[in-house]
Every structure is written in C-alpha cells, then in structure tokens.
Amino acid sequence: MRNPFSVQPDERPRPVQAAFNYLVVCLLIIGFFWVSLMQVGVALDFGFVGQYRARIFDGLLLTLQISAGSLVMSLLIGLPVAVGRGSRILPVRYLCDVYVKLMRGTPLLAQIYLFFYIVGTAWGVENRLVAGIIILSIFSGAYIAEIVRGSLNSLDAGQLEAARAVGFTRRQTLRYVVVPQLVSRTLPALTGQLANMVKDSSLLSVIAVIELTQTMQEISSVTFNLFGTYLFLAGAYLVLTLPIMFASRYFERRLDYAHEDR
C-alpha cells in the first residue's frame, strides 16, 4: 500500500493526497493553538461578528479598495522607475536607484508617519484614504520596479537581435517579443505583491484609515474581546490573501517560460 504521507523528490502528489496532507497540517496547527489557548485560559467569543457585521464589511471593502487602488498606482510608478534605472541620463538613473533603495531599506510604518504628517501636511493632502493609497503605492512601487527590472534583464539579447534580423520594427519587437515574455515573467511575482499590499494596508490604521484592522481595533476597544477580534482579523486577511497566493502559484506554473519547450 502506498504511503499517503510521502512522494519521491521529483514527484508531484496526487490531488487527493495533497488535499489530505494539507488537511492534516491544518488540523495540527489548529490543535496547537487550541491547546495553547486552553493553557492560558482564554475562551474565544465571536459573537461580535454578527453584531458588528456591517462595520466589518465596510472595513473589508475599504481594504480591498485600498489594495486595488495601490496596485494600479504602484504599477504606474514601478514601470517607469524600472526603465529609469537603466537610463543613459545619470541623474534619472540615480534618482530611480535612490528611490528604490530608500523605499526598500526603510520600514513602511516610518514612511507612513513621514509622508502623512510631514510631506502630506506640507502639500495639503488631508484626505487620509487618498494619502494611504499614495503612501502604499510609493512603497510598493519600489518592489514592482525591481520585479520588472529583473525580468527585463533576464530577456535573451539573441531574441532581440533575431527580431531585428527578420525586419521587426522597434514597436513590433516590443509587442511580439518583449511584452509577452515580460508578462509571463512578472505576472506571478506581481500577483504575490498584491497579497503583500493587502497585508501592508493594515498599517494604515496608524493614521486612522478605517480599513479592516482599524475597524477591528475599534470593535476590540468596545467589546474588550482582544483575542477574539484579532484572531478573526487574522482569519479575514488569510481569506483575502490565500486566493491571491494560489493565483500567483497558478500563473507561475502556467506561464513558466523555462518549460515552454517541453
């Protein structure tokens, strides 16, 4: 009888076998936390969910709106920055390089305080939702720039030369050679970055953006149900990000250019 808990290193488990093992792992994790809660004498109460369901839904909806808006803006920032890091104009190249290093080298929480209370105040950005989307977009744009730049650098120069040899114009080369490969190489990572944006949006609660985390903080302060509200919050973010992570993995397998010739 085949062992349901093991496969060969290069073998992909069957769907039923994979589902069974995922279930076992999830039950072990749930059991571990359940025993931990019993050890410290915490009784979970999720009765607040029904009572505050409208506020929770509004916070969830705002989190999705922030994430979607930030994704669009960060793409508009990241794409030109990725190109700018290879510019022949040195001030442009170094500006893009410094931007990426600053955003990736400093914590998002510090950036939120800096941009909202100093830069935002100086330039009259008073709407907290707009400010939050801008801040998250600037932060995520640096990571998207690195994703795109890495994909651009991985393009085979021989393919570009072959496109010129068959008479492709620069626009045709971009459309038929560069863009399809760029999409296949960046889409999985961009999908994963969207999951990070959903989680990073929780930090906007420090400037009182009433997204999901801020909503749960307010409910917790009223109900005094700290563990229940934050455990529910963790589950809500997991529900939001798991489909995105599965989509990222799907695109990674579907668009894996390294296996196209197999």
Side-chain angles (χ1 to χ4, degrees):
M1 183 177 178
R2 186 173 182 178
N3 188 343
F5 297 104
S6 67
V7 293
Q8 296 299 320
D10 57 346
E11 181 184 0
R12 178 176 296 180
R14 295 170 297 171
V16 174
Q17 186 181 16
F20 173 73
N21 281 271
Y22 267 119
L23 178 62
V24 170
V25 171
C26 290
L27 289 175
L28 289 173
I29 294 173
I30 293 172
F32 171 77
F33 277 102
W34 189 263
V35 171
S36 300
L37 289 169
M38 291 178 62
Q39 290 290 331
V40 297
V42 174
L44 295 178
D45 178 15
F46 296 104
F48 65 88
V49 177
Q51 183 180 358
Y52 296 99
R53 59 183 180 276
R55 291 182 61 183
I56 293 172
F57 178 77
D58 290 340
L60 183 65
L61 186 61
L62 189 58
T63 293
L64 293 174
Q65 291 173 348
I66 292 171
S67 303
S70 299
L71 177 63
V72 174
M73 283 193 64
S74 58
L75 283 171
L76 296 177
I77 295 171
L79 291 175
V81 169
V83 176
R85 293 195 72 184
S87 173
R88 292 177 294 180
I89 304 173
L90 291 181
V92 173
R93 181 190 300 181
Y94 294 149
L95 174 63
C96 295
D97 186 63
V98 169
Y99 158 71
V100 170
K101 285 182 170 57
L102 281 176
M103 294 301 104
R104 298 185 68 196
T106 55
L108 176 57
L109 186 61
Q111 294 176 26
I112 291 172
Y113 282 119
L114 174 65
F115 281 102
F116 182 73
Y117 290 108
I118 298 180
V119 179
T121 302
W123 293 93
V125 182
E126 298 179 356
N127 188 301
R128 295 175 186 269
L129 176 59
V130 172
I133 292 175
I134 293 173
I135 294 167
L136 197 57
S137 301
I138 293 173
F139 176 75
S140 298
Y143 289 87
I144 289 178
E146 283 296 276
I147 291 171
V148 175
R149 187 178 71 90
S151 300
L152 286 171
N153 291 341
S154 69
L155 293 176
D156 187 1
Q159 295 187 27
L160 303 180
E161 294 174 1
R164 286 195 294 268
V166 298
F168 275 16
T169 64
R170 178 172 293 185
R171 178 173 295 182
Q172 288 174 323
T173 301
L174 187 66
R175 178 180 177 182
Y176 296 111
V177 179
V178 176
V179 171
Q181 294 189 68
L182 196 62
V183 169
S184 68
R185 300 178 190 207
T186 59
L187 191 55
L190 289 177
T191 309
Q193 184 61 29
L194 176 58
N196 290 331
M197 285 185 197
V198 173
K199 293 182 293 183
D200 290 340
S201 67
S202 64
L203 292 177
L204 297 179
S205 61
V206 300
I207 57 172
V209 177
I210 313 299
E211 40 69 66
L212 187 58
T213 299
Q214 178 66 16
T215 300
M216 299 310 298
Q217 287 176 349
E218 294 176 355
I219 294 174
S220 174
S221 66
V222 173
T223 62
F224 302 102
N225 186 358
L226 180 67
F227 295 105
T229 52
Y230 278 93
L231 188 60
F232 177 84
L233 178 65
Y237 275 108
L238 193 62
V239 169
L240 290 176
T241 56
L242 271 180
I244 300 173
M245 285 187 256
F246 284 129
S248 176
R249 192 166 182 179
Y250 168 80
F251 286 133
E252 188 175 356
R253 287 199 295 257
R254 185 81 174 177
L255 302 174
D256 189 0
Y257 63 90
H259 299 87
E260 286 179 353
D261 294 331
R262 293 188 181 182

